[in-house]
Amino acid sequence: MSSLKEKISKEKLPRHVAIIMDGNGRWAKLQGKNRVYGHQNGVTSVREVTEAAAEIGLEYLTLYAWSTENWKRPKEEVDALMSLLVSTLNNEKKTLLKNNVRLRAIGDLKSLPGKLYEQLLETIHDTAHLTGLTLVLALSYSARWEMVHAVREIARQVSEGKLAPSHIDQITISNNLATAGMPDPELLIRTSGEYRISNFMLYQLAYSELYFSEKMWPDFRKEDFYEAIADFQCRERRFGKISEQIKQH
Ligand code: IPE
Ligand code: IPE
Ligand code: MG
């Protein structure tokens, strides 16, 4: 069977794809297992999708792995997920290096357990020189947390006399978000048949194309990722204009 990968046009690749990886808990429950088993199996999907993104030459892939609201989950699940992140980073570092993948993280990273925070900074440091895909992990991230942080930072610059309020524009805002320097995601994928944003990149998603998959995250594979990209490439992005204006180019 030929892969959907062949159908993807290299000229129309999105620069940045973001994924809300959802459905680990339900996937496990369906098999009579505990939720943590779902997270463990979700790691395979992370590996597959990262590889798929690197193979087609994507610049940025952001994975929403833990939200600021997820801290409210039962302690056993929080602890298990945090340990899983430490071991995954540890085990996957060689694969990142092999595939020329640079790691970056966005979110309230200081709120992560010390061990994870250190492992994360180390992996980011050790892959900083790589030039292929940038894999961005959103950890203890939420868009409202990010906005509060950005507003505080901008207010500080104003109060110190470094920035005039009349000079604040969309670029100032983008530059003060956790994603500073990254293009906005052109495509957002959410798995597990949930149709919501769950406090993810509210500013950056302004013009993103949305793609929803019914598959639970641990079942999501390379072909599913390619299918989402192929679907994206069939869409007409109008940015407020009309179809005829877009077709002139
Ligand atoms: C997504 O799967 C992963 C995280 C939020 C850590 P869930 O854990 O939300 O799984 P469901 O949605 O409960 O099935
Ligand atoms: C969103 O999933 C957060 C992540 C994937 C990390 P949730 O499972 O936490 O979202 P809700 O609570 O169903 O909206
Ligand atoms: Mg969920």
Side-chain angles (χ1 to χ4, degrees):
M1 205 178 77
S2 79
S3 167
L4 274 166
K5 191 177 161 188
E6 323 304 328
K7 283 208 184 143
I8 293 171
S9 141
K10 289 273 188 287
E11 287 72 49
K12 280 173 73 184
L13 265 191
R15 291 186 65 198
H16 183 182
V17 176
I19 307 184
I20 301 178
M21 309 182 287
D22 199 13
N24 293 353
R26 278 164 287 158
W27 182 89
K29 277 268 166 76
L30 280 169
Q31 305 176 51
K33 299 275 180 27
N34 67 15
R35 297 179 49 86
V36 174
Y37 181 72
H39 297 315
Q40 288 163 345
N41 280 275
V43 174
T44 307
S45 308
V46 170
R47 194 182 302 121
E48 283 254 327
V49 165
T50 306
E51 242 179 59
E55 276 173 31
I56 56 170
L58 208 72
E59 282 181 70
Y60 292 91
L61 173 69
T62 298
L63 301 177
Y64 198 10
W66 191 251
S67 75
T68 53
E69 285 78 24
N70 288 148
W71 293 115
K72 295 177 206 151
R73 292 189 177 193
K75 188 176 181 308
E76 305 79 61
E77 184 173 341
V78 175
D79 291 348
L81 206 280
M82 292 301 136
S83 321
L84 180 65
L85 284 165
V86 175
S87 59
T88 305
L89 280 174
N90 204 8
N91 296 338
E92 299 298 321
K93 194 161 113 182
K94 52 183 179 312
T95 322
L96 297 178
L97 292 165
K98 190 184 94 199
N99 292 327
N100 199 21
V101 177
R102 177 170 66 146
L103 188 72
R104 186 170 160 172
I106 56 170
D108 187 9
L109 305 181
K110 294 234 166 72
S111 70
L112 298 171
K115 217 172 156 190
L116 174 56
Y117 182 68
E118 280 158 30
Q119 177 78 48
L120 194 60
L121 290 198
E122 188 192 302
T123 317
I124 290 172
H125 175 266
D126 294 350
T127 60
H129 62 290
L130 299 175
T131 53
L133 172 75
T134 299
L135 172 65
V136 185
L137 292 182
L139 284 171
S140 194
Y141 171 88
S142 74
R144 290 185 174 181
W145 164 82
E146 179 184 47
M147 282 183 192
V148 167
H149 197 265
V151 170
R152 281 190 190 155
E153 180 54 28
I154 293 169
R156 196 183 55 77
Q157 291 167 31
V158 169
S159 73
E160 289 175 0
K162 291 179 181 153
L163 180 66
S166 58
H167 283 171
I168 297 172
D169 57 14
Q170 296 187 13
I171 296 169
T172 319
I173 296 175
S174 292
N175 286 345
N176 284 284
L177 297 174
T179 50
M182 287 164 50
D184 290 340
E186 287 102 322
L187 172 63
L188 172 74
I189 301 171
R190 184 171 188 149
T191 58
S192 86
E194 300 289 3
Y195 302 87
R196 56 179 172 268
I197 300 295
S198 300
N199 212 351
F200 187 60
M201 292 202 184
L202 296 178
Y203 190 81
Q204 299 89 330
L205 292 176
Y207 265 107
S208 308
E209 295 295 327
L210 309 180
Y211 181 91
F212 298 98
S213 165
E214 294 302 311
K215 284 205 178 170
M216 298 294 159
W217 178 249
D219 286 331
F220 202 80
R221 288 290 171 269
K222 279 187 182 182
E223 280 301 294
D224 301 303
F225 185 70
Y226 293 142
E227 196 176 324
I229 308 262
D231 187 279
F232 167 85
Q233 294 191 327
C234 294
R235 302 201 189 174
E236 183 181 65
R237 307 186 71 207
R238 291 190 284 279
F239 300 99
K241 296 182 183 172
I242 65 168
S243 192
E244 286 74 7
Q245 291 174 296
I246 307 298
K247 293 204 174 92
Q248 274 164 14
H249 298 284

